[in-house]
Structure formats: C-alpha cells, structure tokens
Amino acid sequence: MTATESVSKRKKITQILAEETGGKSYKAHKYSLDSERSSLEYSESEDHTFFWKKHGETEPPATYKSLDTLARFLAERDEQVLTYFLDGSRHVYKVDDMAYTQSGNRSVIYPTIAGQVGVGICKRENKMMIPEALMREIVLSVPSIADPSGKGGFFESLSVKLNESNELARIKQCGWKFATPIPYEIKQDERKFEDRGTARIQTAMIEREKEMVKKLVREGKLNQDNYLVKDGSLEYRLSKNDKDDDKSFQTFKQNYNWVIGLSKSFNPEACFDKGKTNPGFIADLPLYHRTPVAYFGSEKEPLAFAVWYVRLRDKSKTRTPFDGILKVEKILVREDEIKNGMETETVDRLSALIINERNPTCYGTDSRWANHIYPIYLTERFVKSQYLSAESFLHLF
Amino acid sequence: MAKNKLIGRVLATEKSPTTIDEFYFWTNSDTKLNAFDIVKVERKDNTDTFGVIESISHITDSTSFLTNFISSDFGDVDISEPTFRVGMNYARAKVSYNTKGDYTPVHNNSKVFLASPEEITFALGLDKVDNPLVCGSLKMYEGTEDEVTLPVKLNAKFLLGSEGAHLNISGISGLAAKTSYAMFLMKSIQDTYANRSDEDGSVAFVLFNVKGRDLMAIDCENTELEDKTIEEYKKLKLSQKPFKQVKYYIPYYDNKSTKKSTYLHPDDVTSYIGSKKLKKFKYVYEDDKESIEMMFANVEDPNQTMESIVSKIIDESDFDFGNLKTWSEFLETVSENSQKGSNGSKGEISVLSWRKFKRIVNKAIKNDDMFANRVVPEESECRLADELKHIKKNEVHVIDIAKLPEDKQAFVFGDAVKTIYNLKLGEYDNEGVAPPARIVIFIDELNKYASSDVPKSSPILRQILDVTERGRSLGVVLFGAEQFRSAIHKRVTGNCATHAYGRTNSIETSTGDYKSLPDTYRNMLTRLSQGEYLIQNPVFRSLLKIRFPKPIYKQFK
C-alpha cells in the first residue's frame, strides 16, 4: 500500500460516525469541556434519595471524638489496612457538530461528545505504591437520534466499526479502545446537550469503577486487612438487575464490604448533625477528631451508607475551615450494620488510619493538598499520566 | 555471555538534552551505582554507546523544601509516613565510546544496561593496549551482586617513553599511600621487563628513601602479608616476591662516630654490607666539586654571585681553586677569600658574597663524614656518581637521604639526577658504561625541589625541568610524588603523561589544577580510601578509579 493510499484509507472518527449514522458532519471547532465546574453538576449528589436517618455507629459519641492517641499508636506499630486506592477520571471534549434530518425535512444539529475515561488502582506494598490495574477507553456520547432504527444493537455494531478504524490502530497497542457509544436524550428541557453527554460519560466512568472493584473482589484481594479506598463519594447505585435479583444484590454488597469512599470536597449544606444540616459543626471539627457517624438510608433503595468527617489539617494552616476535612463513606453491608450502624471501633480505627495518611502531602503540586491523601494523589497522577494529550486525542476526530 | 542487566532508560528533555558528550538516564531509587561505573545504551542502529557515570541524583515529587516540611506536620521531626514519596535516581554519564564510532546523541527512552566485563574493557580502551603494564585494578558496580574486578593495563610506552613519560602522584600523607603506589608500579615494571632481552626493554630504578627506613628493605619479604593481598597480586599476574637486584646506598659515617647518617639499624647495616648489597657513599672534592652548586638550590641568588663563585671553583685553571685536592683545602681557600682586605677574584666578587658562600658550604661540609678525602672500596665505600654510572638493567638503587638535613638531601638528589641525566646524554660513554634504555627516578616530596616557590635559579629545579622536558627521549623518567600538586612547578606537572590523584583535601581540589575534573570526581578525591587512585593517562578514554594491593616488601612500623 502506498503512503497516499494509506492516508486516504485513514478515515477520521467523525467521518465514520457520519457514514454509519447518516448524519452530516460539520467539522466544527473541537474543544475541551472540562472546566473548573465541579463534577457535582454531573453526578447525582443533588439527588435526595438518601437522607439522614439516625446515628450510624454502635456507640455514638455525643460530639467530636479525638483520635490523636489511636493514630499515633497505629503509626508507631506501622499498622495498616488501607492497601488499595482507586481513582477514576475523565476528560471530555466536544468533537463535532452533526446534523440529523428530522420530521418535516428539518435538519437539527447535535454535538458529538467524546471522553477519555481512565480508572486505575494502585496497591501499597512496603510503603511503596505500585500500579495494580488500569482501564482506559474512549467513550462517545451521541444523540439518541443517531440510531436510525431505535431498535437496539446499533451502537454495539457502531463500536465494532470504530474499533476497526485506522485512526485507532496507532494507539490500540497502548490499550486504547472504543466503548459502545452512549446515546444522550434529546427531549427538550433546560439541560444543554453537552452537559447531557458529559453526564453519560461520567456514568460510564462510574460503571468502570464498579467493574474494577468487582474484579478486585473476585480475585479475593479485599478483606479486613486490605481495604480499598476510593477517591470521591461512593455514588454507586444498585442497577436494576441488582434490585431485582437477590443474588446480584448480595454480590454488590459483598463487593463493598471492604471499600470506603474519601471525598475531598463535599457540600457543607449536606452535612448533618443529629438530623439537621449543620455546616458549622463540621467547620469547627478539631484537628485529628472525627464527627459521629451518620446513617443515611432511603425509602426507595435497600441500601444504607455510613458517613462521617475527619479533620487531617489544622484549621489555622488552611484556606477555609472545610479544607483539611475528609468525608468518609461506607456502604453498610452486613445485617447488623444495617440495623445498628458500623462498629465504633472500626470507625475509630479507619479514621485514625486516614489521619495518618496526612503525610506526605502534595503541597505545591496540587492546590487541594489539604484534602488530598498521598496514595490517592499518586493513583490520580498515574491514571492521568496514561491519557492521550488533548491534541493527540482530538486528532482522532 | 550473560544477558546484560537492564537498569534504566535514557532521559532527553528540553533542559537536559542528550549530547555527543553526555546523557542522563533514570534508575530505580534502590539501584546501586557509583561514579566511574560504565553503562551501555542500546541504540536503534544496532550500535552501543558506553558512558561513564559522573554523578547520581535522587529526586522525589516534592516540589520544594516547604513541601517536605509541611509533610512532617509542619516540622514534627518524629513523624513517619505510611507511604514513601515517589522518588527516582537519575545519573549523568559521559560518553566514552561507541562501537561504530558514531557519537550522535542517544535517543530518549533508550535502554540502559550494566556492561559485561568484556564491554567494560573496550569501553575504557583497555582491550588493545600495546606493551601492557599493570597499573592496578578497577571495580565496577561495587557492593552489588554484579560487581566486576578487572586489571587495568596501560601502555608502558606512555609511562616510560618514548610516547609519553613521567608520573606525578599527589595526595595527602598517609591516607594517599603515594610511596606504596609508586613502588607498586615499579614492581609491576620490574616484573614485566625482567625477562625482556630487547635493547629497548631494559629498565633500572633509582629511588630516594626520604622517610625513616621505608624503602630500606624492599628486597625483603613481607611476612605479615594477608592471603587476600597475595591473591590480588596473583590476579594481576604479578610475582608475589619483593624487588630483586636491589642495592642500598647510605651516606658515609665513621663507625666510631656516634652520629649515624641512616635510620637503618646498625645490625642491618652490617648484615647488608655482608651480603654486598649496601655501600656507604662519599663525596670527594676533586670528583664532586662540580656538584657544589646543588647546595645552593634553595638560596636566593638574584645577582648570580653564588653562581660565579661556583664557576670560579670548578675552573681547573683558576689560580686559587684549580689545584685543590681536598675539602679542607677548599674550605681554607674559601676562608681566605672571605678575609677582610682580600681582593677575591680581583674585586669581581665582594667579600660579603664570599662570606655568604662560606657560611653555606661550611654548614654543609664541615663536620660531615660524607665529604671525605678518598674512597676505600674494600670498606664498602663508594662515590655515588660512580655507582649510578654503572647501573645495570633491572637494578634498583635505593639512596637513603632520610636522615640528612634538607640542604644536603638536595645536594645528594641534585648530584644523582645530574649524573643520571649526563649518563643518558652519553657524557660518560668513554668510561665504558652501558646504561639501560630507561632509568626511572623516584622521589617523594618533590615539592622540596620543584615547587613553584623554588628560586628560578635553582640548579635542581633546572635539572628536574631538563629531565621532565627532555628525559622522555633520553630515557630518564621521573616518578614524583607530593602532597599538594598545586604547589609543583607547572612545567613539571605539565610534562607528566600520567597523573595519579590520591586522597586530598577540599582546599587543594579548589585550586586550578583540578578545574578540569567534574565536580563529582573532585569531591571524590576528598573521600578516596587508602589504596585508591584516580588515574589519568593518554591511553585511557577517561579518568579511571583504580586500586592497588598492599606492598609486597617488608614494612617497618
């Protein structure tokens, strides 16, 4: 094959999309949709399915509980159960505008959204971080109307075509592949199409995270001595399948027995103390103390969360009173946990270990240093280091 | 050959690019490497580039000192962290060789390996050495399971001439073991040349013993030698015997006198004389008056008055001095010239100058048995010059000047160097002498005779400059050692083809003499252990860090 032929056979991804979906590509300006906007907008945190029910631990303290002594004790003995660290992230771009003909021969333009999704797990062994698993894929979100038949199976076959493209070939060997494109809804409401596409990619990322957790559990790597710490909230919901099938539900719960979520940022308005929102209670949390555990449940879902806050850094050394506080979440799994909340001893122990994670810091490289713990920071750096550069990625389209 | 061990990858960034001369590479922070280790980089064109490690750095992802301080709870020194910071080592290597002579910079991310012993040998240019002469051994990857020890050989023609000659050894007393290294090299030369029959392959040695009895038993076995040392000599393929064909010369002293001129024990002197390997040397006026100038080596003589007195004395037709036969007659005549009212040499030289001259020669000659009327060969006495003139192949002449005062040490040294130089110039050819092709002169404390502070008119400095500048072609080779290289006359060090740098201090390394060395090597000089040297020789592609075994001859404690 001559060089000219090879170039002519190299179809851009937007070209394949146009051909396969029957749309018309406008080759519009390509740009990143990642901005300083909080991911809260895309996640379902605003959803009020879960609400404060009661105290979520066996021996609830009346107020803040100091863990200074326990943390020191554990540090001296080098005791550790936080072994695995998971971080998922995504970079989302608008890569094209595609026109689809609708009723009355009208042509409507929809954005094509593409994201690089990466989920990585690092393991801590002898105080050193080593990569455990990494998953990377390119996720496209196109308007649901891109599927001309609407009968299903279309996007799956589209992904086959995408994965066969010459454009992908050059990065395939590095482990990149196209996931099945996810359609976004096109019904009229106040949300922008770009945001809808971004939210779908975010959901896809959360799914990948769940799969990674499942994989670790399946390999028998998580247990009482080896917890997984996930970056961010445990915003995992039961899928329809989980709800309907008891076995699947049990598996889900089993998977999360040894998983905790650590959030760097949280909505202070959603901080509850004795059932009432009380941001001041969290803001005044003294150094190396934790709040009592709150039990969050739902009427709709058979799932409960234990949520508490831990302060790692002195208020006088941070910018805002909420810097230096981590929100800890754990899905309540066992029957007794669901009934009475977590064992206070376990909460104390996990909190003390989290407090010990305050050093080393990523001060100087990450402005969120006060809320970051180093192993998560490294996992994040690992995942992000595996991304394609924006130029390289946009060149695919 | 075992597969090379992969240890890292080449780094090429905008700020630290790879060049014709050097490259950087990263390794794990627990990979143990040392300066002077050789690494191999595989290139895409199937050639290998070799580099010598010059420096190694360790970095972490900590952006500033403050980050580390904050990571200890703002200054709590007791804090231990549950996760180690991500860190790595990176090394700077100087390109030493490419298998096809292609020195285009190595590419980013190229694999970096440890080199095999064969590869180390040719990377350093040690594989095809003509006239090989062992000058020590080097260790690569020290302290690891991949440690390699290799003998280092240099081309003797670059040490003893004709391509290059002279050796300069520097380093602080004791810790550097300068004498031991010079002796090791001479031992290696003697072993190598002992059985060579060709004309060019004959070497003899003249050594000056300047400290205690250090070199006064170099033909005696070292009974306290450890097996390890013997093994080292075996590995270097050198004999495990001390020096052969050694002759000792001590300044003459009367047996009845209580004043001895050597640190050697009287019993040893007797026994050495008995085995005909020791003679006492004397200076006889008639034959040695030409060396009187050597007594003025460290005397400032801006108006050349001393020099003119000396020329007058050695002038055979001189009215006053031409017919003198003994030192006492000489001293008397000098005395007469120093008398008030004497017209000296018709007023050319002032009485004051004669008096200065008298003071100096009186101090040296009066009351010293060494300056005598005649030599009695039957009593194992000799004239040093006569002995040196008849030095033979493989012989080692040790001249003991340890107990002499400094001015007389200079006199003996200057006289000996002059004799050897003249011998090789062919001045004594009519006396039936047959000198070996090369004569090695070893002197410790070279700074006494060739320091940059020595008066420019010094006859010894002139002699040393003659040797270093013209000795290479004549076959006179100087092995000089001193504490501080920077104190030595530039023309002396500049003419040495081989330089051995031993342990020294940081004041010394900050002088201009060491400017050409990379920082790491300069700092390394302050940390070298006893028996370790950095060697520079035109044959080697870069400086080499070598070590040598302990002396094989008897050591006095």
Side-chain angles (χ1 to χ4, degrees):
Chain A
M1 197 192 294
T2 67
T4 343
E5 277 171 329
S6 123
V7 170
S8 70
K9 288 213 166 185
R10 279 175 65 166
K11 283 183 190 165
K12 292 281 172 200
I13 299 299
T14 45
Q15 206 179 338
I16 298 172
L17 277 178
E19 281 170 16
E20 296 300 316
T21 62
K24 186 187 175 207
S25 164
Y26 276 83
K27 297 187 176 54
H29 176 54
K30 299 181 260 195
Y31 55 90
S32 165
L33 290 174
D34 297 323
S35 63
E36 291 306 308
R37 283 190 293 186
S38 153
S39 65
L40 281 173
E41 283 182 49
Y42 303 109
S43 72
E44 287 143 313
S45 304
E46 297 297 295
D47 180 352
H48 295 293
T49 312
F50 290 92
F51 53 87
W52 189 91
K53 266 190 162 173
K54 55 180 179 179
H55 286 299
E57 59 186 307
T58 48
E59 295 158 41
T63 182
Y64 311 122
K65 184 165 185 184
S66 170
L67 296 162
D68 196 2
T69 321
L70 180 62
R72 276 175 201 279
F73 174 75
L74 293 177
E76 274 164 24
R77 295 179 43 164
D78 249 342
E79 278 200 25
Q80 195 52 269
V81 298
L82 310 178
T83 309
Y84 294 96
F85 299 86
L86 180 146
D87 184 65
S89 75
R90 50 156 181 80
H91 280 181
V92 182
Y93 308 84
K94 192 199 122 182
V95 291
D96 199 11
D97 278 325
M98 193 86 77
Y100 293 100
T101 320
Q102 286 180 335
S103 69
N105 222 6
R106 276 179 318 123
S107 194
V108 184
I109 293 175
Y110 295 101
T112 307
I113 311 297
Q116 307 188 51
V117 169
V119 179
I121 294 181
C122 285
K123 185 185 183 189
R124 176 163 55 196
E125 224 175 71
N126 300 326
K127 298 193 174 191
M128 310 266 269
M129 297 296 289
I130 46 172
E132 172 75 21
L134 175 72
M135 190 286 310
R136 294 178 294 180
E137 51 186 28
I138 302 170
V139 186
L140 293 183
S141 188
V142 293
S144 52
I145 200 167
D147 171 7
S149 67
K151 295 281 183 291
F154 172 78
F155 291 111
E156 284 77 4
S157 60
L158 177 58
S159 84
V160 174
K161 288 268 170 22
L162 293 172
N163 279 314
E164 284 169 356
S165 69
N166 283 322
E167 276 295 321
L168 184 71
R170 66 187 164 95
I171 52 169
K172 220 174 193 170
Q173 57 182 10
C174 308
W176 285 99
K177 63 178 197 297
F178 277 98
T180 304
I182 317 165
Y184 59 81
E185 291 175 347
I186 55 167
K187 68 177 181 196
Q188 288 292 331
D189 64 22
E190 74 280 9
R191 289 185 300 156
K192 284 168 72 183
F193 292 130
E194 280 86 350
D195 291 350
R196 297 182 199 188
T198 307
R200 294 313 301 264
I201 292 171
Q202 172 85 4
T203 313
M205 182 193 86
I206 291 168
E207 280 309 311
R208 300 296 175 273
E209 290 180 348
K210 279 161 90 169
E211 284 163 22
M212 289 285 252
V213 175
K214 205 189 262 178
K215 187 168 161 278
L216 271 193
V217 173
R218 215 168 33 232
E219 290 167 5
K221 289 183 170 163
L222 299 186
N223 50 46
Q224 59 179 3
D225 295 325
N226 294 290
Y227 271 73
L228 170 75
V229 182
K230 183 206 167 268
D231 181 38
S233 180
L234 291 179
E235 49 210 329
Y236 304 146
R237 296 307 176 74
L238 295 174
S239 64
K240 195 169 179 306
N241 189 27
D242 291 333
K243 286 183 197 170
D244 297 347
D245 175 6
D246 187 53
K247 194 174 165 221
S248 173
F249 179 51
Q250 291 311 325
T251 316
F252 176 89
K253 289 209 293 187
Q254 180 67 33
N255 289 350
Y256 289 94
N257 202 3
W258 313 111
V259 179
I260 56 172
L262 283 190
S263 304
K264 290 186 283 294
S265 54
F266 43 85
N267 181 359
E269 287 300 322
C271 305
F272 286 86
D273 170 39
K274 299 182 186 102
K276 295 190 184 82
T277 140
N278 187 358
F281 182 69
I282 309 292
D284 292 337
L285 180 62
L287 186 62
Y288 309 147
H289 281 61
R290 71 165 174 91
T291 62
V293 180
Y295 186 110
F296 278 74
S298 164
E299 298 297 336
K300 299 179 203 159
E301 306 229 11
L303 209 56
F305 289 91
V307 178
W308 71 98
Y309 299 83
V310 180
R311 184 182 281 284
L312 268 60
R313 323 253 178 225
D314 195 346
K315 221 197 297 187
S316 64
K317 302 265 185 358
T318 57
R319 283 179 308 181
T320 75
F322 293 103
D323 279 351
I325 297 178
L326 288 184
K327 178 185 175 191
V328 191
E329 286 173 307
K330 188 178 174 305
I331 298 178
L332 296 174
V333 173
R334 297 197 317 267
E335 281 306 316
D336 60 311
E337 275 187 345
I338 294 170
K339 201 173 156 204
N340 306 320
M342 285 178 73
E343 277 170 23
T344 296
E345 199 189 325
T346 312
V347 176
D348 287 348
R349 198 175 165 75
L350 286 174
S351 306
L353 288 172
I354 291 166
I355 287 167
N356 285 341
E357 293 296 340
R358 68 192 181 280
N359 295 319
T361 70
C362 52
Y363 175 85
T365 32
D366 199 313
S367 57
R368 305 164 299 170
W369 69 273
N371 294 54
H372 237 323
I373 64 165
Y374 191 69
I376 291 281
Y377 162 77
L378 282 187
T379 310
E380 188 183 306
R381 289 289 294 258
F382 164 62
V383 173
K384 286 187 174 165
S385 69
Q386 303 291 324
Y387 278 139
L388 294 173
S389 70
E391 290 77 12
S392 192
F393 181 74
L394 292 177
H395 194 69
L396 292 168
F397 297 92
Chain B
M1 192 183 74
K3 211 169 161 254
N4 295 65
K5 192 192 223 175
L6 181 62
I7 53 161
R9 299 276 189 147
V10 171
L11 293 161
T13 65
E14 215 170 328
K15 278 187 182 160
S16 306
T18 56
T19 67
I20 287 176
D21 298 322
E22 63 174 27
F23 59 88
Y24 289 83
F25 65 93
W26 60 256
T27 68
N28 272 333
S29 34
D30 48 4
T31 304
K32 202 170 168 190
L33 288 170
N34 297 299
F36 290 103
D37 281 353
I38 298 278
V39 291
K40 176 173 101 166
V41 180
E42 250 179 24
R43 291 169 35 132
K44 278 186 186 150
D45 57 2
N46 287 329
T47 68
D48 296 326
T49 290
F50 294 90
V52 185
I53 295 178
E54 281 193 346
S55 74
I56 305 169
S57 314
H58 173 71
I59 54 165
T60 66
D61 65 350
S62 178
T63 50
S64 68
F65 296 157
L66 198 56
T67 310
N68 280 33
F69 177 76
I70 290 174
S71 294
S72 304
D73 287 348
F74 292 86
D76 184 341
V77 289
D78 289 324
I79 287 298
S80 57
E81 46 200 25
T83 315
F84 292 134
R85 258 190 199 286
V86 169
M88 63 154 206
N89 286 1
Y90 71 90
R92 190 180 71 225
K94 200 170 181 65
V95 173
S96 75
Y97 180 64
N98 175 277
T99 42
K100 284 196 180 145
D102 182 352
Y103 289 92
T104 357
V106 291
H107 287 186
N108 183 52
N109 222 28
S110 302
K111 290 177 178 171
V112 180
F113 300 91
L114 295 185
S116 68
E118 296 78 17
E119 288 166 340
I120 294 168
T121 314
F122 65 70
L124 291 173
L126 302 174
D127 53 337
K128 288 175 190 153
V129 177
D130 296 326
N131 310 299
L133 180 74
V134 175
C135 69
S137 62
L138 58 80
K139 270 202 173 128
M140 286 277 154
Y141 321 129
E142 203 176 341
T144 70
E145 56 179 11
D146 305 289
E147 187 174 294
V148 177
T149 307
L150 293 170
V152 180
K153 291 171 186 168
L154 48 77
N155 184 341
K157 287 209 166 171
F158 283 87
L159 181 67
L160 302 172
S162 54
E163 308 292 341
H166 316 305
L167 162 75
N168 186 272
I169 309 175
S170 57
I172 48 178
S173 279
L175 279 171
K178 298 184 290 287
T179 308
S180 300
Y181 186 54
M183 296 308 288
F184 169 77
L185 268 183
M186 286 188 273
K187 152 96 188 130
S188 166
I189 297 169
Q190 200 184 38
D191 275 7
T192 312
Y193 283 81
N195 301 317
R196 275 179 64 167
S197 54
D198 54 311
E199 185 66 20
D200 197 37
S202 55
V203 186
F205 308 87
V206 176
L207 279 51
F208 291 87
N209 176 53
V210 295
K211 205 171 94 237
R213 297 177 284 175
D214 276 10
L215 303 181
M216 295 308 286
I218 59 169
D219 62 336
C220 305
E221 303 251 354
N222 183 354
T223 48
E224 289 166 13
L225 219 52
E226 294 169 22
D227 292 347
K228 192 178 77 182
T229 312
I230 293 175
E231 200 51 41
E232 281 178 78
Y233 276 92
K234 276 186 191 160
K235 277 187 186 155
L236 295 172
K237 297 196 173 122
L238 294 177
S239 80
Q240 297 96 59
K241 297 278 170 212
F243 283 87
K244 292 173 195 132
Q245 290 174 257
V246 184
K247 290 184 174 175
Y248 299 97
Y249 297 94
I250 57 170
Y252 174 81
Y253 64 90
D254 194 336
N255 282 341
K256 289 167 231 147
S257 149
T258 48
K259 211 174 100 190
K260 304 276 183 279
S261 63
T262 177
Y263 287 107
L264 205 57
H265 195 274
D267 294 346
D268 285 338
V269 174
T270 319
S271 110
Y272 279 20
I273 291 176
S275 50
K276 294 201 179 315
K277 61 180 182 185
L278 184 138
K279 284 183 182 175
K280 293 176 174 179
F281 61 84
K282 278 179 171 174
Y283 290 94
V284 178
Y285 179 75
E286 262 188 303
D287 297 319
D288 293 307
K289 62 183 177 188
E290 285 187 21
S291 295
I292 289 176
E293 61 168 352
M294 298 300 173
M295 290 176 191
F296 298 86
N298 285 314
V299 177
E300 291 286 352
D301 186 22
N303 303 321
Q304 278 108 36
T305 45
M306 296 300 119
E307 211 179 315
S308 37
I309 295 177
V310 171
S311 348
K312 181 178 163 61
I313 289 164
I314 57 178
D315 184 357
E316 296 285 346
S317 58
D318 188 84
F319 178 76
D320 292 332
F321 290 90
N323 301 314
L324 303 182
K325 300 287 178 205
T326 63
W327 292 106
S328 43
E329 285 171 16
F330 161 69
L331 289 181
E332 259 171 45
T333 316
V334 171
S335 265
E336 283 165 17
N337 278 285
S338 322
Q339 294 299 320
K340 205 175 176 185
S342 110
N343 61 355
S345 74
K346 300 189 182 66
E348 272 174 28
I349 302 163
S350 74
V351 172
L352 286 177
S353 302
W354 276 107
R355 286 181 184 165
K356 182 178 175 187
F357 183 84
K358 183 187 160 190
R359 279 197 301 277
I360 293 166
V361 292
N362 253 350
K363 181 174 166 259
I365 298 168
K366 239 184 182 175
N367 305 323
D368 192 331
D369 300 343
M370 189 167 81
F371 296 92
N373 288 349
R374 65 187 180 92
V375 168
V376 187
E378 297 73 27
E379 297 289 323
S380 291
E381 291 171 19
C382 67
R383 262 189 75 232
L384 197 54
D386 287 340
E387 292 295 314
L388 291 173
K389 277 182 212 169
H390 295 99
I391 190 166
K392 289 190 201 65
K393 178 185 167 185
N394 289 334
E395 276 185 357
V396 184
H397 287 202
V398 182
I399 303 168
D400 182 18
I401 54 172
K403 216 175 175 186
L404 295 180
E406 225 167 86
D407 56 338
K408 262 179 272 187
Q409 284 188 344
F411 175 80
V412 176
F413 174 67
D415 172 64
V417 172
K418 192 176 79 176
T419 309
I420 294 164
Y421 189 70
N422 289 342
L423 170 70
K424 293 298 292 179
L425 264 181
E427 280 201 12
Y428 312 120
D429 283 0
N430 53 358
E431 295 178 32
V433 296
R438 321 238 142 239
I439 300 177
V440 176
I441 303 171
F442 169 60
I443 178 76
D444 199 353
E445 299 178 4
L446 184 65
N447 47 311
K448 279 187 186 165
Y449 316 109
S451 101
S452 35
D453 302 331
V454 163
K456 285 208 170 52
S457 58
S458 161
I460 297 187
L461 176 64
R462 206 169 55 227
Q463 205 68 57
I464 291 175
L465 285 173
D466 273 345
V467 167
T468 50
E469 285 169 353
R470 281 171 285 280
R472 177 173 64 87
S473 50
L474 284 176
V476 185
V477 182
L478 181 76
F479 282 14
E482 72 283 324
Q483 282 219 55
F484 302 114
R485 183 189 155 85
S486 60
I488 301 297
H489 201 290
K490 293 280 175 282
R491 274 163 68 195
V492 175
T493 47
N495 277 303
C496 290
T498 309
H499 302 271
Y501 302 90
R503 167 96 167 239
T504 187
N505 61 26
S506 54
I507 301 170
E508 173 68 2
T509 56
S510 60
T511 59
D513 278 66
Y514 299 83
K515 279 280 178 287
S516 63
L517 301 181
D519 282 352
T520 321
Y521 294 0
R522 267 211 299 271
N523 293 335
M524 187 180 259
L525 284 177
T526 63
R527 295 191 305 263
L528 287 177
S529 335
Q530 202 170 24
E532 284 184 338
Y533 271 94
L534 300 193
I535 301 285
Q536 198 172 31
N537 179 274
V539 179
F540 301 147
R541 296 204 167 96
S542 59
L543 267 184
L544 294 185
K545 184 182 155 195
I546 58 116
R547 60 188 66 215
F548 63 93
K550 288 187 176 145
I552 197 110
Y553 55 87
K554 184 175 172 180
Q555 299 291 296
F556 292 100
K557 281 180 187 156

